């Protein structure tokens, strides 16, 4: 049995191994890289295993400290640093002994320094952050075409963006880093597994819950306005900003309909009104029937559920939100704040998860990932920011230790204001706490080791000057003084702001996290139709996912009294026509389809369907031709994008293929030729799809309008110009979607239409 990455094993896993009792075990691991303590990994096990192998007769421990990855001058620094930081001999079982690496890869010039350290001066009023400085340095490298990088020892070349990786200790300051890179036009991509809590729909729902707990806090209010639930753009925010009076809070503008509103666009006003209506209903938040019901109701009320269902994999997305709702309910916490606190801890944990199953990105872009995610990977140039970051200690007030049992330190609630709170404290608490802290410190050293050893050719470290203890910066400072590292490390000067000039040939747009999450684009034919007829409405419905309010109203009013639901009627008629094609009598066909659905007002539907079916007589059907397919559904490709649709009927007549799109509910508001005009783009797209997928030529594509008693068939007359226009519109739509265009861009198309 062979086991790799053994340093990340926990006791239970080891127990499983012991029970399997393999005849031969081959275990590989590196104590220095044990970084999954939060998930139960136990560095002691590797230590124990090593000791055992040394002692046992039929076992052997082999030290593998040859390094073929990293240039020798970096290895020298790493050796000096970690010989000092880690121990030479263990005094505690969770410590890591440092065995120096033996460098096998040598650089072209022996005395060239390959580790750089930027001591970023601390200053509150400073305009630049360490991330800006890091970005300047990156641009400088590409401009100056150094340091050269390579594989092995013989091939050397100039550095490119794709050679660089920024490894971050956590995602906390990711936004600052992204801003700095964007400002300098540096192309980048964020890699790493997207955890459950980072899914767009889950984040959107949580944005809603966060707002619910603190509706007057700008950050939560802004997040909600910006989320796809309300979908305001940055431009909208500028508009709101212009509108704000001095000293006025954002919530005052949003929650109070004032004369100021007249200078806000309709979109912003609508968003504010929607948020106000939620405010009236939901705040202060009271659990109604049950917490789960309230959470679900909120999901529905805000239209988030409906808008998810309209999206691709809609049902899956709804299930994901329901899962997070269940997760919150299962906390059994006293209030929303407490649930959110737990949630933040959970998210903080999952940030580290992602392991090394990170797909490598191809292309000339800088990669950003957490150090945990970089494990097992290597990059020519590694940038390590925030080395001043202090250790995050576990703040738990109740702990368990195998020797001391449960220990705790809890404050009782104050009986009266101003009274000193009573503390319940067990004697072992401080001892256990300091032991756990010591373990955390050791793990933090190992994380630093993992980060530095990802570099093949160059290592750049940056951190704000600080006096924090147990920080990576403090280790560097100490070793630097003790070992005169200045022969091996460049102490970097501050680089002036530099901007990468976007050249015309540069094809890389900056892929942001949101884009990486995007599923491959697929469009339905009816979606394309919606865009062609009203781009702005399309944006609202398909991009933001909010149904048009007037449409919602219309939909409701049209179902009043004895009216039938037109789309259901359409479906039923299609199905009945299909059954007719299979040879069923008209009566039997109608009977069967009505049995399939459970309808209250079945007679009204029956009546309507029969009226329509009368017109789809035997004679009519035969005149159409021999059926090839009913409801022929397709997924075809156009410009690399999926195009999805369904053709009601395909027939063959005199050796030629004809396509029909049945229209059962078109009423007298338009004439048949107006309907044809309206549906032309759809017929062009159907022709395209059928020909592309079957390699057969289509002779005609027609609408079959049931309510047109005189002449139900309306055939598309092909016009090259018209066809070009339809596909040009489709291209525009693809372009807008792929570039994440906002309301403004769609609005422009509305004007052009
Ligand atoms: N014998 C060798 N000769 C030349 N190159 C080698 C040799 N062995 C490994 N390498 C190269 O060294 C690099 C590191 O190898 P590998 O990923 O197997 O090491 P590792 O011990 O798993 O590293 P880590 O645990 O630090 O991630 C790779 O680029 C690999 O191609």
């Amino acid at each position: 049995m062979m086991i790799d990455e053994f340093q990340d094993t926990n006791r239970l896993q080891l127990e499983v191994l012991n029970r399997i009792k393999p005849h031969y075990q081959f275990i590989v691991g590196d104590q220095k890289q044990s970084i999954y303590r939060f998930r139960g990994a136990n560095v002691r096990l590797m230590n124990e295993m090593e000791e055992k192998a040394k002692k046992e007769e039929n076992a052997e421990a082999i030290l593998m400290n040859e390094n073929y990855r990293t240039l020798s001058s970096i290895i020298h620094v790493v050796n000096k640093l970690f010989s000092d930081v880690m121990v030479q001999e263990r005094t505690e079982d969770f410590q890591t002994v440092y065995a120096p690496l033996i460098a096998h890869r040598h650089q072209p010039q022996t005395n060239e320094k390959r580790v750089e350290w930027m001591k970023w001066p601390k200053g509150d009023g400073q305009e630049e952050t360490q991330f800006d400085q890091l970005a300047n340095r990156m641009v400088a490298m590409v401009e100056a075409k150094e340091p050269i990088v390579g594989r092995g020892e013989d091939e050397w070349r100039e550095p490119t963006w794709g050679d660089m990786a920024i490894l971050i200790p956590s995602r906390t300051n990711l936004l600052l880093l992204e801003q700095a890179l964007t400002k300098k036009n540096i192309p980048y991509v964020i890699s790493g597994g997207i955890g459950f809590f980072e899914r767009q729909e889950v984040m959107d729902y949580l944005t809603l819950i966060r707002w619910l707990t603190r509706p007057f806090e700008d950050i939560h209010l802004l997040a909600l306005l910006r989320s796809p639930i309300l979908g305001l753009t940055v431009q909208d925010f500028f508009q709101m900003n212009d509108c704000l009076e001095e000293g006025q809070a954002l919530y005052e503008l949003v929650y109070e309909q004032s004369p100021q509103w007249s200078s806000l666009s309709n979109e912003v006003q609508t968003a504010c009104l929607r948020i106000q209506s939620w405010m009236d209903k939901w705040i202060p938040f009271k659990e109604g029937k049950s917490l789960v019901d309230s959470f679900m109701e909120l999901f529905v009320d805000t239209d988030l559920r409906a808008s998810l269902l309209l999206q691709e994999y809609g049902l899956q997305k709804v299930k994901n939100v329901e899962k997070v709702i269940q997760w919150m309910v299962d906390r059994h916490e006293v209030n929303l704040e407490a649930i959110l606190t737990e949630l933040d801890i959970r998210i903080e944990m999952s940030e580290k998860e992602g392991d090394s199953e990170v797909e490598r990105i191809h292309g000339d872009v800088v990669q950003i990932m957490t150090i945990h995610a970089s494990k097992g990977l290597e990059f020519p140039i590694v940038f390590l920011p925030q080395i001043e970051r202090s250790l995050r200690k576990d703040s738990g007030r109740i702990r368990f230790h195998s020797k001391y049992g449960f220990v705790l330190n809890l404050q009782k609630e104050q009986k009266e204001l101003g009274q000193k709170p009573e503390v319940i404290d067990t004697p072992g608490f401080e001892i256990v706490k300091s032991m756990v802290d010591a373990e955390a410190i050791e793990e933090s050293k190992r994380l630093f080791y993992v980060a530095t050893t990802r570099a093949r050719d160059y290592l750049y470290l940056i951190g704000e000057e600080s006096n924090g203890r147990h920080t990576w910066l403090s280790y560097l400072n100490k070793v630097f003084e003790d070992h005169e590292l200045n022969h091996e490390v460049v102490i970097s000067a501050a680089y002036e702001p530099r901007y990468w000039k976007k050249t015309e040939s540069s094809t890389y747009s900056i892929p942001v996290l949101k884009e990486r999450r995007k599923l491959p684009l697929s469009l339905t034919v009816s979606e394309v139709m919606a865009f062609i007829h009203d781009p702005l409405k399309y944006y609202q419905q398909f991009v933001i996912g909010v149904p048009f309010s007037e449409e919602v109203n219309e939909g409701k009013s049209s179902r009043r009294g004895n009216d039938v639901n037109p789309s259901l009627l359409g479906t039923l008629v299609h199905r009945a026509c299909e059954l007719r094609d299979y040879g069923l009598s008209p009566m039997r066909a109608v009977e069967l389809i009505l049995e399939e659905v459970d309808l209250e007002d079945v007679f009204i539907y029956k009546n309507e369907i029969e009226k329509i079916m009368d017109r789809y007589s035997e004679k009519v059907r035969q005149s159409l031709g021999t059926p090839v397919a009913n409801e022929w559904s397709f997924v075809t490709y156009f410009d690399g994008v999926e195009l999805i649709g369904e053709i009601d009927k395909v027939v063959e007549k005199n050796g030629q293929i004809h396509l029909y799109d049945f229209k059962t509910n078109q009423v007298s508001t338009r004439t048949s030729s107006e309907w044809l005009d309206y549906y032309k783009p759809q017929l062009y797209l159907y022709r395209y799809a059928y020909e592309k997928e079957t390699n057969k030529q289509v002779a005609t594509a027609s609408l079959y309008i049931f309510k047109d008693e005189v002449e139900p068939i309306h055939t598309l007359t092909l016009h090259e110009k018209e066809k070009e226009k339809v596909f040009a519109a489709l291209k525009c739509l693809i372009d807008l979607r792929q570039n994440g265009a906002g309301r403004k861009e769609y609005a422009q198309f509305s004007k052009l239409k």
Side-chain angles (χ1 to χ4, degrees), residues 91-312:
T91 50
E92 299 285 352
D93 56 3
F94 55 83
Q95 286 173 331
T96 318
V97 174
Y98 190 75
L101 296 169
I102 300 162
H104 279 270
R105 208 178 140 229
H106 298 279
Q107 54 212 52
Q109 290 161 310
T110 26
N111 49 8
E112 193 192 359
K113 298 176 182 177
R114 288 264 168 180
V115 179
E116 181 174 337
W117 176 13
M118 172 73 218
K119 301 177 180 188
W120 187 240
K122 195 177 176 67
D124 290 338
Q126 221 160 238
E127 253 181 45
E128 277 206 326
T129 63
Q130 60 170 296
F131 301 111
D132 292 312
Q133 179 58 211
L134 186 150
N136 295 339
R137 186 65 187 102
M138 287 184 138
V139 177
M141 281 185 187
V142 175
E143 278 176 357
K145 304 185 187 344
E146 58 182 20
I148 50 169
V149 298
R151 277 216 166 262
E153 293 178 2
D154 307 321
E155 291 167 40
W156 297 95
R157 56 177 177 78
E158 295 162 2
T160 63
W161 298 122
D163 294 320
M164 305 181 182
I166 307 173
L167 306 184
I168 50 177
S170 81
R171 287 176 181 261
T172 319
N173 284 322
L174 188 56
L175 202 62
L176 281 178
L177 175 63
E178 280 193 81
Q179 277 169 352
L181 300 183
T182 309
K183 220 166 27 185
K184 305 280 153 76
N185 299 323
I186 298 174
Y188 71 91
V189 68
I190 300 162
S191 349
I194 305 286
F196 175 73
F197 291 99
E198 286 174 73
R199 284 171 205 270
Q200 189 64 51
E201 65 276 11
V202 172
M203 291 205 300
D204 290 341
Y205 185 76
L206 293 175
T207 299
L208 203 55
I209 302 289
R210 292 203 170 94
W211 167 78
L212 206 59
T213 31
R214 302 191 176 191
F216 296 101
E217 264 179 40
D218 288 353
I219 185 160
H220 299 308
L221 188 54
L222 271 175
L224 183 58
L225 290 166
R226 183 92 174 94
S227 75
I229 304 173
L230 290 167
L232 294 195
T233 63
V234 175
Q235 278 84 353
D236 293 330
F237 287 136
F238 285 144
Q239 205 187 92
M240 292 170 86
N241 208 31
D242 290 342
C243 207
L244 277 173
E245 280 162 17
E246 219 179 305
Q248 191 184 14
L250 177 67
Y251 72 80
E252 290 176 84
L253 180 69
V254 175
Y255 297 147
E256 286 159 28
Q257 198 168 356
S258 65
Q260 281 165 286
W261 274 36
S262 57
S263 51
L264 294 175
S265 68
N266 279 340
E267 285 86 24
V268 178
Q269 290 192 23
T270 312
C272 293
L273 286 173
R274 287 188 75 194
I275 222 170
Q276 279 181 14
S277 70
W278 301 338
M279 177 97 176
D280 290 344
K281 175 156 182 199
W282 292 99
I283 291 173
F285 182 74
K286 284 190 291 289
E287 263 182 60
K289 296 153 260 177
S290 69
L291 188 59
V292 69
D293 288 344
S294 305
F295 278 159
M296 290 298 276
E297 202 179 328
L298 186 72
F299 186 26
V300 175
D301 253 22
T302 48
D303 287 340
L304 180 60
R305 190 174 185 279
S307 70
L308 290 180
L309 279 174
L310 283 173
Q311 294 170 20
E312 202 176 7

Side-chain angles (χ1 to χ4, degrees), residues 4-5 30 33 64 66-70 151 375-378 449 453-454 456:
D4 199 0
E5 306 285 357
D30 182 359
Q33 298 196 40
M64 293 171 73
E66 321 265 321
N67 185 299
Y68 297 91
R69 170 188 293 149
T70 306
R151 277 216 166 262
K375 202 159 148 269
L377 303 179
E378 55 185 39
Y449 176 80
T453 51
R454 298 309 97 202
R456 283 212 312 245

Side-chain angles (χ1 to χ4, degrees), residues 408-420:
L408 47 91
N409 173 298
L410 293 171
Q411 281 191 358
K412 269 195 175 174
E413 219 171 287
Q414 286 161 276
K415 287 211 184 83
E416 271 174 48
L417 210 65
Q419 205 180 40
K420 225 173 157 202

